[in-house]
Amino acid sequence: LISLVLFFCSFVPLFFYPPATRNVGHHSAIVHNPSSTLERGIPLTNATRLDAQIGFIIEIDKLKQVMRRTQIMDGSRHENSAEHSWHLALMAITLGEHAPAPLNLGRVIRMLVVHDLVEIDAGDTFAFDAEGHLTKTEREQAAADRIFGLLPDDQRDDIRELWEEFEAVETAEARYALAIDRLEPLLCNLNNGGGTWRQYGITRTAVLKRMDPIREGAPGVWPYVVSAVNTATEAGWIAEG
Amino acid sequence: LISLVLFFCSFVPLFFYPPATRNVGHHSAIVHNPSSTLERGIPLTNATRLDAQIGFIIEIDKLKQVMRRTQIMDGSRHENSAEHSWHLALMAITLGEHAPAPLNLGRVIRMLVVHDLVEIDAGDTFAFDAEGHLTKTEREQAAADRIFGLLPDDQRDDIRELWEEFEAVETAEARYALAIDRLEPLLCNLNNGGGTWRQYGITRTAVLKRMDPIREGAPGVWPYVVSAVNTATEAGWIAEG
């Protein structure tokens, strides 16, 4: 009986949701309307809440077009930030026991699938690009305002909180998430013949500095990282020094 | 003090982990050793547990190469199953309130990032390919044996359980996860000009049948789906009938 009631209740929104207002093929309208509605401070009905959510979901498809310097493990092409984020989520599940203490792994996974969204506007800033890092924060804050702002207010705040927690690297969850984010390109480079290390002549010192968050965030993995960096240096994939 | 102790404890595995055993540039060895160790039933040390986990993480990079029939929303290229899985995770977070009852959303997200891994061996079976679906289960079971089998036994079982829960579609979490998995390609087609619907001349009846799991798994989204399918049919992107 309960499921029957729920089933019929699910059709209630139909009455508030005229099919003619759907803009198939004009998704810019879907993307931008919700935001302006929010700015005007009009409380969202169920239908406009869903519109805002769908607008966000459509907008973030663009992360599949943000290319990283890292190549995927077979070296056939560059990696995009969406598939990178997926890989991190599964890495976090797999390597949880190597974190220093029990974690809220669910929160880590949410952080990881959210953390690169700002790159839709701000682009991926290459790990060893000192100049790009000077303006990174400013570019990414503006991106967060716009992209998370597509969501209904409560969800905008939740997602932003996840992103800011990741960026601040103050909680155990954020430290572990950052460790995973650093480990993935190392594994890519180890498996695609040296990748960005060789391409940009990165030194052992610079690589170890970049990997350092793993020491605190996932200490059980750190010996592997040091060993792998040493072997890659011996192989000439990482520059001495 | 506790963090100091933890810090030094983190170096203990170093003694069991000779750098010379790392096979940089020979990742097939990294992938296959753990599995054979498991088959021989030798209890895993911390180092071989980590080896098995890293082997799994390297293997699943291949999901980035599994191409779906669906194109991403700007229509510029096909979507791969890794970035698709990432999108589903964020969609599940965004649309949770439209499920019929409160869910274990963390479990949904884990299910979604895991559910396509079998495609590494079994390939993506196109939604409207009746013939491919005849052998899908068999192909995917063998893939699950091999791919999840790279992990230490306890993790292999956990991941397989997630995958089997998704496949069985019996829990509220699996129903919602399936709804999200069906909604994503609909949004792609709506935004890339009709996508696979137009390319393969799919009928309205077939699309609605494919989308039907959304009615039960995410009832709050169903009116949107019906409305969008109707509009896409009127636009000629979905065939009448």
Side-chain angles (χ1 to χ4, degrees):
Chain A
L1 180 70
I2 293 171
S3 61
L4 259 178
V5 171
L6 279 170
F7 179 77
F8 285 106
C9 285
S10 74
F11 288 95
V12 172
L14 263 177
F15 301 107
F16 305 104
Y17 206 77
T21 65
R22 301 301 321 151
N23 286 296
V24 173
H26 296 88
H27 69 273
S28 62
I30 300 180
V31 173
H32 296 297
N33 276 344
S35 173
S36 56
T37 307
L38 290 171
E39 279 157 21
R40 277 182 277 124
I42 298 167
L44 297 176
T45 63
N46 279 346
T48 54
R49 248 188 99 80
L50 181 58
D51 267 345
Q53 291 159 341
I54 298 274
F56 174 75
I57 288 166
I58 290 168
E59 178 65 15
I60 66 175
D61 197 70
K62 294 178 184 165
L63 196 64
K64 299 169 188 170
Q65 304 278 54
V66 175
M67 301 312 289
R68 296 165 48 82
R69 301 290 176 105
T70 307
Q71 302 214 339
I72 61 173
M73 294 193 189
D74 73 353
S76 63
R77 63 165 175 83
H78 286 264
E79 185 185 42
N80 72 59
S81 291
E83 62 196 3
H84 164 72
S85 299
W86 163 80
H87 209 167
L88 299 187
L90 254 167
M91 287 176 67
I93 293 170
T94 307
L95 298 175
E97 70 200 53
H98 303 290
L103 292 163
N104 181 342
L105 194 57
R107 191 158 179 88
V108 171
I109 296 167
R110 287 179 201 220
M111 247 182 252
L112 287 171
V113 296
V114 161
H115 86 290
D116 271 345
L117 284 175
V118 292
E119 294 181 359
I120 289 170
D121 287 353
D124 179 53
T125 307
F126 181 47
F128 302 102
D129 169 13
E131 207 169 310
H133 278 273
L134 292 177
T135 58
K136 185 171 179 273
T137 306
E138 198 182 331
R139 283 181 290 123
E140 293 191 346
Q141 287 287 344
D145 289 346
R146 186 188 74 79
I147 297 161
F148 305 153
L150 297 172
L151 284 165
D153 292 6
D154 56 324
Q155 294 188 302
R156 175 198 63 199
D157 295 346
D158 288 348
I159 300 279
R160 188 165 194 131
E161 200 174 279
L162 285 167
W163 176 67
E164 291 190 338
E165 182 176 341
F166 178 85
E167 290 292 313
V169 205
E170 280 165 5
T171 62
E173 281 74 18
R175 286 196 195 96
Y176 177 63
L178 181 61
I180 295 297
D181 190 39
R182 296 292 162 90
L183 182 63
E184 196 257 6
L186 175 129
L187 293 177
C188 288
N189 283 351
L190 284 175
N191 285 283
N192 65 25
T196 53
W197 298 330
R198 285 176 85 170
Q199 194 181 348
Y200 300 97
I202 311 296
T203 64
R204 182 174 174 281
T205 307
V207 172
L208 283 177
K209 188 180 165 202
R210 180 74 187 165
M211 293 301 143
D212 198 60
I214 299 173
R215 188 153 49 140
E216 208 181 345
V221 184
W222 183 243
Y224 167 81
V225 170
V226 173
S227 158
V229 168
N230 287 341
T231 313
T233 308
E234 285 159 28
W237 294 0
I238 294 173
E240 307 267 359
Chain B
L1 178 67
I2 292 170
S3 62
L4 259 178
V5 170
L6 277 172
F7 179 77
F8 285 106
C9 285
S10 75
F11 288 94
V12 172
L14 262 178
F15 300 108
F16 305 103
Y17 207 78
T21 64
R22 301 302 320 151
N23 286 297
V24 173
H26 297 87
H27 70 273
S28 61
I30 300 181
V31 173
H32 295 298
N33 276 344
S35 173
S36 56
T37 307
L38 290 171
E39 278 157 22
R40 277 182 276 122
I42 297 167
L44 296 176
T45 63
N46 280 345
T48 52
R49 248 188 99 81
L50 180 58
D51 267 346
Q53 291 159 340
I54 299 274
F56 174 76
I57 288 167
I58 291 167
E59 178 65 15
I60 66 175
D61 197 70
K62 294 177 184 165
L63 196 63
K64 299 169 189 170
Q65 303 278 55
V66 175
M67 301 312 289
R68 296 164 48 82
R69 301 290 175 102
T70 307
Q71 301 214 341
I72 61 173
M73 294 192 190
D74 72 355
S76 62
R77 63 165 176 81
H78 287 264
E79 184 184 44
N80 72 60
S81 291
E83 62 196 4
H84 165 70
S85 299
W86 163 82
H87 209 165
L88 299 187
L90 254 168
M91 287 174 67
I93 293 170
T94 307
L95 299 175
E97 70 200 51
H98 303 289
L103 293 163
N104 181 342
L105 194 58
R107 191 157 179 89
V108 171
I109 296 168
R110 286 178 201 221
M111 246 183 253
L112 287 171
V113 297
V114 160
H115 85 290
D116 270 346
L117 284 175
V118 293
E119 294 181 358
I120 289 171
D121 287 353
D124 178 53
T125 307
F126 181 47
F128 303 100
D129 169 14
E131 208 170 309
H133 278 272
L134 291 177
T135 60
K136 184 171 179 271
T137 305
E138 198 182 329
R139 284 180 289 121
E140 293 191 346
Q141 287 287 343
D145 289 345
R146 186 188 75 77
I147 297 161
F148 306 153
L150 297 171
L151 284 166
D153 291 7
D154 56 324
Q155 293 188 304
R156 175 198 63 200
D157 295 347
D158 288 349
I159 300 279
R160 186 164 195 131
E161 200 174 280
L162 285 167
W163 176 66
E164 291 191 338
E165 183 176 341
F166 179 85
E167 290 292 313
V169 205
E170 281 166 3
T171 63
E173 282 75 18
R175 285 196 196 95
Y176 177 62
L178 181 62
I180 295 297
D181 190 38
R182 296 291 162 89
L183 182 63
E184 196 258 4
L186 175 129
L187 293 177
C188 288
N189 283 351
L190 285 175
N191 285 283
N192 65 25
T196 51
W197 297 330
R198 285 176 85 169
Q199 194 180 349
Y200 300 97
I202 311 296
T203 64
R204 182 174 176 279
T205 307
V207 172
L208 283 176
K209 188 181 165 202
R210 180 74 186 165
M211 294 301 143
D212 198 59
I214 299 173
R215 187 154 50 140
E216 208 181 346
V221 184
W222 183 243
Y224 167 81
V225 170
V226 173
S227 156
V229 167
N230 287 341
T231 315
T233 308
E234 285 159 28
W237 293 359
I238 294 173
E240 307 270 355

